[in-house]
């Protein structure tokens, strides 16, 4: 089947993911080969909450494909402030652009918006929901560093509110991956997500832990996410809990020499700066990978001659 | 499990508590206390002049107490009644014409229910002012919002959009 929109990583089969990652690698190796593929294309950027980094990454990707962007601007300066619905906004911007990128604070926003437009729509984050392009660049980075099969990965931090984590976890069920989820009890994966993971896999590939210690030596990849202050009732509680999920050079002494450390960035103090210079650190590379991966995705979604064709049986 | 004596639309003592109808639909074997939710889920609130009679907590052979709803002048389709399976899974539907039951069937769990329930997740796009109809997929043991993916297993009746 051909996907016209990219809403969630759940919609992507293993075949889809490999198509995107292979193409991203091709682009990464020779970006100039695709520099003219979209010279007449305009991509509409609709960011209803600030995320300068993600927006810049999409903008860079579109421009490196020869196209350009039209940007709704900040919510403060747009019609949204006057109470316009998302359904109306996307229908207006659809008339200006060949594709849309949407970031919105509400869950399900991208699903709903896609029902109102005919141009391809890419979800760049919908509240606590999904963020599939982040997932694709995460997968790309994992594949480059450790491979996606026969993989043991630890995902640590705020697993409750971290949409990045949910999307990645779904996608990894397509591969032979053992996933360890490490978090304080109050920030465990939502039960909905656990339900889905068990639906997609028999559950043997998924384990939850409250401490890194017991699983660290077995990991090929450690994916760290930020634990936010506002998730806790008071500063003390936050300091106490968050402190247990931070890593430094000493923590990594117990890790495999091949361990790859990832983080969606920005980080605060989850990863000590001393790790940056070690061969474990892959988080800056991960951020850079956003451009070739988004170039691949945009080209596949916006072209008539290429498409993400998966092996789904839907 | 035949207990036809309990729910034929006849001269049974229990049935007489609710008036007979000439043409329409009798929804029987509704779990006790759910009759008003049945009406709400069907969007029947009397404002269109429908003649509706409701029996609540009527003694029943099958349950200790059951509710029964009779709607005069309206034959409910299978699609319309299937949403009732969410709150009244044992309900039986009797279509009545000229005082006779001409069709009798059970409710079946639909795959999807649209426009009936509202999402309990305040962070869901469907809870704002968007021109969107709620949509839930029906799971074995609950329902799930098709937009934000929230799963609700308990007290589905509290989600009925009234
Ligand atoms: Zn919802």
């Amino acid at each position: 089947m051909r996907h016209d929109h990219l809403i969630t990583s759940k919609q992507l089969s293993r075949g889809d993911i490999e198509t995107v990652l292979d193409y991203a690698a091709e682009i990464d190796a020779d970006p100039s080969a695709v520099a003219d593929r979209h010279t007449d294309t305009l991509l509409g950027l609709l960011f209803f909450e600030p995320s300068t980094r993600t927006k810049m990454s999409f903008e860079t990707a579109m421009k490196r494909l020869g196209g350009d962007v039209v940007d709704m601007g900040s919510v403060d300066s747009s019609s949204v402030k006057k109470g316009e619905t998302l359904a109306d906004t996307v229908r207006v911007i659809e008339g200006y652009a060949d594709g849309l990128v949407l970031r919105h604070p509400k869950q399900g926003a991208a699903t709903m918006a896609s029902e109102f437009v005919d141009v391809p729509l890419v979800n760049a984050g919908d509240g606590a929901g999904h963020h599939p392009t982040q997932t694709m660049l995460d997968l790309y980075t994992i594949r480059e560093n450790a491979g996606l099969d026969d993989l043991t990965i630890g995902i640590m931090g705020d697993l409750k509110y971290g949409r990045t984590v949910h999307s990645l976890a779904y996608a990894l069920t397509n591969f032979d991956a053992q996933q360890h989820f490490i978090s304080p009890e109050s920030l465990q994966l939502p039960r909905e997500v656990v339900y889905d993971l068990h639906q997609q896999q028999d559950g043997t590939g998924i384990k939850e832990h409250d401490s890194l210690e017991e699983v660290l030596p077995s990991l090929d990849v450690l994916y760290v996410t930020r634990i936010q202050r506002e998730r806790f009732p008071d500063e003390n509680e936050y300091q106490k809990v968050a402190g247990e999920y931070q890593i430094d050079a000493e923590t990594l002494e117990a890790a495999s020499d091949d361990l790859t450390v990832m983080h969606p960035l920005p980080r605060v103090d989850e990863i000590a700066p001393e790790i940056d210079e070690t061969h474990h650190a892959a988080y800056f590379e991960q951020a850079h990978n956003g451009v070739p991966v988004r170039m691949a995705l945009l080209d596949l979604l916006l072209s008539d001659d290429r498409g993400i064709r998966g092996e789904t049986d839907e | 499990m035949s207990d036809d004596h309990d729910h034929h639309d006849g001269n049974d003592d229990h049935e007489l508590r609710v008036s007979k109808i000439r043409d329409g639909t009798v929804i029987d074997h509704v779990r006790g206390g759910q009759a008003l939710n049945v009406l709400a889920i069907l969007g029947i609130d009397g404002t269109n002049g429908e003649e509706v009679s409701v029996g609540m907590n009527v003694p029943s052979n099958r349950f200790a107490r059951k509710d029964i709803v009779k709607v005069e002048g309206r034959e409910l389709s299978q699609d319309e009644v299937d949403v009732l399976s969410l709150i009244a899974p044992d309900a039986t539907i009797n279509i009545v014409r000229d005082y006779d039951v001409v069709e009798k069937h059970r409710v079946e769990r639909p795959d999807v229910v649209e426009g009936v329930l509202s999402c309990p997740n305040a962070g869901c796009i469907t809870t704002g002012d968007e021109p969107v109809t709620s949509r839930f997929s029906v799971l074995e043991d609950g329902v799930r919002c098709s937009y934000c993916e929230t799963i609700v297993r308990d007290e589905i009746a509290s989600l009925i959009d009234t």
Side-chain angles (χ1 to χ4, degrees):
Chain A
M1 95 181 253
R2 170 154 186 180
H3 302 295
D4 295 317
H5 306 293
L6 180 61
I7 308 296
T8 151
S9 63
K10 278 194 250 180
Q11 78 187 80
L12 300 174
S13 67
R14 180 180 176 126
D16 290 330
I17 293 169
E18 283 172 342
T19 301
V20 176
L21 301 190
D22 289 346
Y23 191 34
E26 209 180 302
I27 291 173
D28 210 0
D30 183 13
S32 64
V34 291
D36 298 322
R37 276 193 62 79
H38 289 278
T39 47
D40 293 325
T41 303
L42 274 178
L43 185 66
L45 303 179
L46 296 91
F47 279 64
F48 287 81
E49 57 180 17
S51 178
T52 314
R53 201 81 62 76
T54 303
K55 191 154 91 173
M56 281 180 73
S57 178
F58 272 106
E59 188 168 350
T60 307
M62 193 67 249
K63 288 181 173 170
R64 292 222 181 273
L65 288 167
D68 208 339
V69 298
V70 281
D71 186 345
M72 178 187 85
S74 73
V75 169
D76 288 347
S77 60
S78 69
S79 319
V80 178
K81 205 165 182 198
K82 303 185 187 98
E84 187 175 60
T85 62
L86 174 61
D88 280 2
T89 306
V90 294
R91 280 179 287 185
V92 171
I93 311 291
E94 175 188 27
Y96 308 156
D98 304 296
L100 299 176
V101 177
L102 174 69
R103 158 92 100 189
H104 197 278
K106 293 234 166 192
Q107 276 169 269
T111 303
M112 189 208 75
S114 72
E115 292 170 359
F116 286 91
V117 298
D118 291 322
V119 300
L121 183 141
V122 178
N123 183 5
D126 58 342
H130 299 278
H131 193 4
T133 64
Q134 174 74 43
T135 301
M136 296 307 287
L137 72 91
D138 289 344
L139 292 171
Y140 184 81
T141 309
I142 294 170
R143 190 169 82 161
E144 296 280 296
N145 285 277
L148 284 165
D149 284 309
D150 195 20
L151 169 73
T152 304
I153 183 170
I155 303 180
M156 180 168 85
D158 180 352
L159 309 184
K160 185 172 182 182
Y161 301 96
R163 60 185 164 206
T164 306
V165 166
H166 309 161
S167 286
L168 178 60
Y170 292 130
L172 284 171
T173 60
N174 287 294
F175 299 89
D176 176 21
Q178 173 70 48
Q179 302 190 62
H180 295 283
F181 297 99
I182 306 137
S183 71
E185 205 183 329
S186 62
L187 295 175
Q188 281 178 349
L189 285 177
R191 296 303 98 185
E192 272 84 358
V193 175
V194 175
Y195 172 89
D196 281 339
L197 294 177
H198 281 267
Q199 292 287 101
Q200 292 197 255
Q201 215 169 33
D202 58 15
T204 53
I206 297 146
K207 287 203 178 82
E208 297 181 86
H209 311 264
D210 60 10
S211 135
L212 175 63
E213 212 178 344
E214 63 196 69
V215 291
L216 180 60
S218 68
L219 300 181
D220 302 312
V221 174
L222 176 60
Y223 193 106
V224 185
T225 66
R226 182 151 51 108
I227 293 181
Q228 296 187 40
R229 165 71 188 87
E230 58 264 34
R231 308 293 182 214
F232 292 87
D234 63 75
E235 185 67 26
N236 277 349
E237 182 67 12
Y238 164 68
Q239 291 295 350
K240 202 178 91 198
V241 173
E244 289 178 42
Y245 300 91
Q246 292 165 355
I247 61 167
D248 55 21
E250 199 188 327
T251 320
L252 294 191
E253 281 170 16
S256 148
D257 192 42
D258 295 331
L259 177 75
T260 298
V261 177
M262 294 172 62
H263 190 297
L265 302 182
R267 70 175 151 174
V268 183
D269 42 19
E270 307 81 58
I271 299 177
E274 64 200 26
I275 295 177
D276 300 357
E277 302 309 320
T278 69
H279 65 282
H280 296 298
Y283 27 92
F284 293 113
E285 171 196 336
Q286 183 184 355
H288 299 163
N289 288 338
V291 173
V293 168
R294 290 191 171 102
M295 286 170 77
L297 278 166
L298 288 173
D299 191 17
L300 293 168
L301 285 164
L302 295 167
S303 305
D304 295 327
D305 59 334
R306 303 191 73 132
I308 306 172
R309 285 185 181 80
E311 303 151 340
T312 53
D313 52 10
E314 283 166 49
Chain B
M1 278 248 305
S2 171
D3 55 355
D4 255 358
H5 59 280
D6 179 44
H7 65 90
H8 68 113
D9 203 59
N11 296 322
D12 182 316
D13 275 352
H14 304 157
E15 300 293 339
L16 290 176
R17 292 168 195 270
V18 181
S19 61
K20 285 187 68 146
I21 61 172
R22 178 185 177 131
D23 297 296
T25 308
V26 176
I27 304 162
D28 200 355
H29 299 111
V30 174
R31 285 179 187 170
Q34 292 291 334
L36 296 180
N37 287 328
V38 165
L39 289 171
I41 220 170
L42 295 174
I44 297 173
D45 60 5
T47 54
N48 295 322
E50 305 98 329
E51 199 178 302
V52 178
S53 40
V54 173
M56 292 179 87
N57 294 316
V58 178
S60 155
N61 288 5
R62 195 183 295 181
F63 310 121
R65 299 276 166 174
K66 67 171 182 179
D67 285 3
I68 182 164
V69 174
K70 303 191 180 191
V71 185
E72 177 77 50
R74 185 165 157 195
E75 292 188 6
L76 296 169
S77 69
Q78 186 77 37
D79 280 351
E80 283 178 284
V81 298
D82 277 348
V83 296
L84 296 179
S85 64
L86 299 176
I87 56 161
D90 307 296
T92 48
I93 309 300
N94 301 282
I95 303 294
V96 178
R97 285 180 203 146
D98 204 17
Y99 300 110
D100 280 331
V101 175
V102 294
E103 265 178 54
K104 188 171 276 222
H105 44 95
R106 315 205 65 145
V107 295
E108 284 163 31
R109 278 180 98 70
D111 295 330
V112 178
V113 291
E114 286 191 63
V116 175
L117 306 174
S118 57
C119 186
N121 173 11
C124 177
I125 191 72
T126 63
T127 61
D129 296 326
E130 300 295 334
V132 61
T133 306
S134 76
R135 187 167 70 235
F136 286 77
S137 52
V138 179
L139 312 174
E140 259 172 50
D141 59 345
V143 294
R144 175 173 229 182
C145 176
S146 303
Y147 292 90
C148 74
E149 307 183 334
T150 295
I151 296 176
V152 181
R153 294 198 167 84
D154 303 316
E155 303 203 20
I156 290 168
S158 69
L159 305 183
I160 296 168
D161 206 356
T162 47

